[in-house]
Amino acid sequence: MLGIDTCLAEVMSIPGALDAMLLDHTSGMAVAFSSASGVDADRSAAALTEALRATTDGLARACPGEVVRIDDMLVTTDKGHHLLRPLEAVFEGPLVIYVRLDLERSNLALARHRLRSVSSQLTT
């Protein structure tokens, strides 16, 4: 089982990773954060949590009667890829791994695979 610091180090070792964060999905607070840029972790965590909640709510409304469970969420902007992966196990609360990837230097398929691997190691 990975610890939180090792988890973030593994996520930051993904080619093209710029920022990594572990956030509490209930409170919207950053549990751990690693970045080379001057990002405000707490404000980012709150906004990312709201985006994930809104997406889940929107999908639930678009698919009435179905159980919606997001494996991962991808947003691509003109500057990069943003991946969010909710963890299946609940620690102190439900956690989400976030990574921001450089658009030019990252391999999206590899990043999704590595994020899935890290999340399974964190929860086992």
Side-chain angles (χ1 to χ4, degrees):
M1 180 172 175
L2 290 178
I4 290 174
D5 292 333
T6 307
C7 168
L8 285 184
E10 287 286 323
V11 174
M12 286 301 289
S13 74
I14 296 172
L18 301 171
D19 303 310
M21 186 181 327
L22 191 62
L23 48 109
D24 182 314
H25 189 257
T26 302
S27 69
M29 298 295 294
V31 174
F33 182 67
S34 179
S35 173
S37 60
V39 174
D40 182 337
D42 290 327
R43 290 183 64 171
S44 294
L48 290 166
T49 300
E50 245 346 274
L52 187 58
R53 283 184 188 145
T55 300
T56 302
D57 185 49
L59 291 172
R61 290 173 189 259
C63 308
E66 293 182 25
V67 175
V68 175
R69 186 178 135 307
I70 294 177
D71 288 330
D72 62 26
M73 187 170 109
L74 164 67
V75 176
T76 300
T77 66
D78 60 339
K79 302 279 190 217
H81 301 293
H82 303 262
L83 284 171
L84 292 115
R85 182 162 185 88
L87 299 177
E88 294 194 17
V90 175
F91 296 90
E92 300 281 324
L95 298 178
V96 177
I97 300 175
Y98 164 76
V99 62
R100 181 172 65 103
L101 302 161
D102 181 273
L103 190 63
E104 301 298 322
R105 298 183 304 123
S106 62
N107 176 321
L108 191 53
L110 174 64
R112 290 183 70 212
H113 174 73
R114 296 270 303 272
L115 203 58
R116 188 177 320 117
S117 174
V118 168
S119 68
S120 70
Q121 291 176 47
L122 188 62
T123 59
T124 56

